[in-house]
Amino acid sequence: MAYGTTAGSFYLLDAQTGKVLRRIEFDQPIFGGITAANERYYLQTLDGVIHCFDREGTTRWRYDPYAEAPQDPGSRGKRQYCGAAIAVLGETLVAAVGFDLICLRDLGDNVELVWTRQKPITDTYLPVGVSLADGWVYASFPGKDGKGAMVRIHLTTGEINDQHDVIQDQWAVLTPAAIRDGVAYYCR
């Protein structure tokens, strides 16, 4: 069993006994769920850094999307913060970080940036949930204005067709979509 805490601790437990097998400390809280896939654990700390651990809790890699970003208070490109779980399909990962969506490829002991979609809707929409299915990314946005959106993004290219892949003016979409037989189901 794996879980993260708002105090910034990542725990691996023996599911049968509850014994702590590994505890890893971060300088940042973990708000999103831990994603288990490919015999690995993926998580994101509040500062937007994406971490990958093997089953024993050994770090395989970490990716900081804002390592080179300016940090001055007036900068629009500064670090953004997050709390959403990471979606994984095969070696492909998509994370919601601040206003942005970031697609990565897990290369084993390293990671590769595939694409970044900066602010897929507008400044008033933060992605809170991501699902992957059938070559698409489905991202949900609650919006600040009481209205939300669901966006479908091509998984390999990061492209969006605004006429066919964006549903706006939905009431606060708060959860990742469940995809069944090519249909996206989501709460609003």
Side-chain angles (χ1 to χ4, degrees):
M1 184 172 122
Y3 69 95
T5 70
T6 56
S9 300
F10 170 63
Y11 288 94
L12 289 176
L13 303 178
D14 182 305
Q16 293 184 351
T17 67
K19 178 183 174 188
V20 175
L21 302 174
R22 187 82 191 258
R23 177 180 171 179
I24 300 167
E25 295 297 322
F26 296 98
D27 291 336
Q28 295 285 320
I30 302 165
F31 287 121
I34 308 299
T35 303
N38 306 321
E39 306 219 0
R40 295 175 180 249
Y41 299 106
Y42 301 95
L43 67 93
Q44 192 175 138
T45 48
L46 179 64
D47 59 357
V49 178
I50 300 163
H51 302 267
C52 174
F53 300 94
D54 63 21
R55 288 177 39 181
E56 288 74 40
T58 302
T59 299
R60 304 313 294 181
W61 52 261
R62 67 187 292 277
Y63 181 79
D64 184 351
Y66 301 106
E68 305 297 320
Q71 297 306 309
D72 57 301
S75 171
R76 298 292 286 164
K78 67 183 178 191
R79 182 173 297 282
Q80 297 181 44
Y81 297 89
C82 62
I86 297 169
V88 179
L89 182 64
E91 287 101 25
T92 304
L93 301 94
V94 177
V97 183
F99 291 99
D100 303 337
L101 293 168
I102 297 170
C103 181
L104 303 171
R105 182 167 295 113
D106 185 341
L107 301 175
D109 288 334
N110 205 346
V111 65
E112 171 185 57
L113 176 65
V114 178
W115 52 260
T116 299
R117 286 298 303 202
Q118 294 182 324
K119 301 174 186 161
I121 303 291
T122 67
D123 283 356
T124 60
Y125 288 84
L126 259 121
V128 296
V130 179
S131 300
L132 306 178
D134 304 324
W136 295 98
V137 177
Y138 296 85
S140 54
F141 298 79
K144 293 182 195 175
D145 54 7
K147 295 181 179 180
M150 179 62 67
V151 176
R152 184 176 76 162
I153 302 165
H154 197 275
L155 183 59
T156 56
T157 66
E159 295 298 315
I160 300 172
N161 179 326
D162 290 334
Q163 293 180 340
H164 300 288
D165 297 332
V166 178
I167 299 173
Q168 286 187 311
D169 298 329
Q170 300 293 300
W171 183 257
V173 183
L174 298 172
T175 61
I179 315 303
R180 302 291 181 269
D181 299 324
V183 178
Y185 299 90
Y186 57 93
C187 297
R188 60 186 185 100

